[in-house]
Amino acid sequence: MAHLIRHKIGNKLTNAANTVSNKSQAKVSGVFARLGFQAATDEEGLGFVDCDDLDFDYRQGMQMDIMQGDEEGGDMDGGDELMVGDSHYQRDGTGPPSSSSLKNTGACNELALEDKPKITTWDAGWNVTNAIQGMFVLGLPYAILHGGYLGLFLIIFAAVVCCYTGKILIACLYEENEDGILVRVRDSYVDIANACCQPRFPSLGGHIVNVAQIIELVMTCILYVVVSGNLMVNSFPNLPVSQKAWSVVATAALLPCAFLKSLKAVSKFSLLCTIAHFVINIMVIAYCLSRARDWAWDKVKFYIDVKKFPISIGIIVFSYTSQIFLPSLEGNMQRPKEFHCMMDWTHIGACVLKGLFALVAYLTWADATKEVITDNLPSTIRAVVNLFLVAKALLSYPLPFFAAVEVLEKSFFQDGGRAIFPDCYGPGGRIKSWGLGLRCLLVVFTLIMAIFVPHFALLMGLTGSLTGAGLCFLLPALFHLKLMWRKLLWHHVFFDVAIFVIGGICSISGFIHSVEGLIEAFKYGVEE
């Protein structure tokens, strides 16, 4: 008993001394902050002092428990279990475990025990390639038609900017702990938005991003159905089947997507989609090279069509949108450190292939270039290429559909006590029958929208201008400035501000002209 009393008195004295020391350090940090050496505020300094005090109390309490256990002949086997959750926060597994990570042991253990299959860097690369090398490459020659050489420059510029904004978006998921180790403290785009809007509007940013993500993902799914119907009706023009009927057939083939449960399964579809994409590129470019003698270099303009080019900007931007998938992909990677390398190579490959494909296709057909470039091919070749494109569209559909389902489920069904509806998953992670029915309804909804708005390029330009520019350019740059302001160098600030301004101008201009194009198409009854 006397032994315990001595320890308690000693702990209190040590705690008091530690508190005084921490407050002194906070004051010193404040002095350095005013001198410009450290960008910490007084409020932040006091916050760190409080955290240190709580952490010290916790560790002292753990030591007392261990001492009591030793006196009673107990055995603290649970100490090893307390370290399990560290891998959830310290993603790379390097460095000593942080003492603050012990506080959330229960939640960490639950997360560590979740049996979620991780994806390799190659799997992540296939998914990103699927997103940025999707069906929308078919509209790039149409962008060159109205933008000329400036359109080619934008294909390169968009690749560089989207790769950069993807990296800074992932950087916003991490913060340094007291040991200087990067720790993943956020899990999604929504978490980043909420962190930026705190403390006044803690959930406003998340709601805005959620709406933008859902629009972007559902629109992407709709576009895949639209392009599938368009390709089939142009492949078999002699059959008495309309584009809308072909869209229904394509949707019937997509209904099994409702059963997808993991990103690992989606990655397999993305791999097959990438293979189909390379086959299509080789076939189209080979045909264009066979007509190289007739290439119309004089038709490639240095000036732009002021009315049509903003639509082309939306098409180009929309063809690079992958930011919505990146937090989930990086969080599911076995080696998150390889994320930057994966982003570099996927975007370099996309830039080269898109630029080559768009230029060669436009040189072949010049002013006769159509919204979907395969419509320009001879009927014999067109049928073969279009069948590969339909397969590619069907294989591309699962990625945005799965992401849309995840966003909807987390927002309305799995948001803890704030969820509007009950959880759609039962014991063991099995989806309930009514949850499966809602997924099927989402597939049917994409069909209904595809039937009523069958204009591929205009719809792609509208979506790219409305949500693509926001999610790819505006929000990542804004969030990066907000969360990392004290750590950014002047050129990072310049890049972020420039991207935000240019992205805003392109977004507003492209949205206005895409809406005008759709109104004109419906007014004059233009089918495609």
Side-chain angles (χ1 to χ4, degrees), residues 339-386:
F339 175 82
H340 280 210
C341 181
M342 180 272 295
M343 286 290 289
D344 290 337
W345 285 109
T346 52
H347 282 74
I348 290 172
C351 177
V352 172
L353 288 175
K354 285 180 179 181
L356 182 63
F357 182 88
L359 179 61
V360 168
Y362 176 73
L363 289 174
T364 304
W365 289 286
D367 293 338
T369 301
K370 297 183 180 180
E371 290 182 2
V372 181
I373 194 61
T374 53
D375 292 347
N376 291 102
L377 292 169
S379 56
T380 52
I381 302 175
R382 184 195 312 162
V384 178
V385 173
N386 282 356

Side-chain angles (χ1 to χ4, degrees), residues 16-304:
N18 188 67
T19 301
V20 172
S21 174
N22 284 333
K23 288 181 178 179
S24 300
Q25 290 176 9
K27 290 180 180 179
V28 173
S29 298
V31 172
F32 277 102
R34 287 190 289 274
L35 292 175
F37 293 102
Q38 181 179 338
T41 62
D42 293 338
E43 184 179 350
E44 288 173 341
L46 292 174
F48 280 118
V49 170
D50 293 338
C51 289
D52 288 340
D53 291 345
L54 291 171
D55 182 66
F56 182 82
D57 291 340
Y58 185 85
R59 284 186 281 112
Q60 293 298 323
M62 287 295 298
Q63 290 177 6
M64 291 299 297
D65 290 341
I66 293 172
M67 289 175 58
Q68 291 177 5
D70 290 340
E71 290 179 0
E72 296 171 2
D75 182 10
M76 291 295 290
D77 292 335
D80 294 335
E81 296 176 2
L82 292 173
M83 309 306 295
V84 174
D86 290 338
S87 60
H88 174 72
Y89 296 95
Q90 198 167 303
R91 294 297 313 283
D92 56 358
T94 60
S98 170
S99 58
S100 59
S101 65
L102 298 174
K103 298 177 185 177
N104 296 316
T105 303
C108 294
N109 283 338
E110 280 185 27
L111 291 168
L113 292 174
E114 288 183 2
D115 186 19
K116 289 187 176 180
K118 295 290 184 180
I119 60 175
T120 65
T121 305
W122 283 100
D123 288 333
W126 298 134
N127 282 311
V128 172
T129 301
N130 181 13
I132 65 177
Q133 293 271 33
M135 298 297 298
F136 315 113
V137 71
L138 300 177
L140 292 180
Y142 187 74
I144 304 299
L145 172 65
H146 299 299
Y149 287 109
L150 184 57
L152 283 175
F153 169 76
L154 278 177
I155 291 174
I156 301 171
F157 178 75
V160 174
V161 172
C162 287
C163 184
Y164 172 75
T165 55
K167 292 177 180 179
I168 64 175
L169 181 66
I170 296 303
C172 292
L173 297 173
Y174 289 83
E175 287 185 6
E176 287 186 358
N177 63 8
E178 61 271 20
D179 299 321
I181 299 172
L182 283 178
V183 176
R184 200 176 202 262
V185 296
R186 304 178 187 97
D187 290 324
S188 65
Y189 211 143
V190 173
D191 291 342
I192 296 172
N194 285 333
C196 289
C197 292
Q198 288 178 351
R200 293 187 178 181
F201 308 101
S203 60
L204 176 62
H207 292 321
I208 294 173
V209 169
N210 259 340
V211 171
Q213 284 187 123
I214 291 170
I215 292 174
E216 174 90 358
L217 293 167
V218 173
M219 281 289 216
T220 305
C221 294
I222 293 169
L223 286 172
Y224 285 135
V225 178
V226 169
V227 77
S228 296
N230 175 274
L231 291 168
M232 291 302 293
V233 78
N234 283 283
S235 299
F236 306 100
N238 297 325
L239 292 179
V241 183
S242 65
Q243 178 175 333
K244 296 177 180 179
W246 281 119
S247 296
V248 173
V249 174
T251 305
L254 293 171
L255 280 174
C257 290
F259 296 90
L260 288 172
K261 294 181 64 177
S262 71
L263 195 59
K264 189 75 174 176
V266 176
S267 300
K268 304 305 179 186
F269 288 106
S270 297
L271 171 59
L272 296 174
C273 176
T274 303
I275 294 172
H277 176 79
F278 283 115
V279 172
I280 293 163
N281 273 6
I282 291 171
M283 294 177 70
V284 174
I285 291 176
Y287 175 79
C288 293
L289 290 174
S290 69
R291 296 184 54 187
R293 294 180 181 177
D294 302 324
W295 281 0
W297 284 99
D298 57 317
K299 296 288 185 179
V300 185
K301 306 179 288 289
F302 282 97
Y303 60 90
I304 62 174

Side-chain angles (χ1 to χ4, degrees), residues 258 401 405 413 421 424 433-443:
F401 177 81
V405 166
F413 300 94
F421 303 104
C424 53
S433 56
W434 60 269
L436 187 61
L438 289 176
R439 288 187 173 199
C440 293
L441 282 177
L442 181 59
V443 178

Side-chain angles (χ1 to χ4, degrees), residues 6-20 56:
R6 283 197 304 271
H7 273 285
K8 286 182 179 179
I9 294 173
N11 288 337
K12 288 182 179 179
L13 292 173
T14 307
N15 192 12
N18 188 67
T19 301
V20 172
F56 182 82

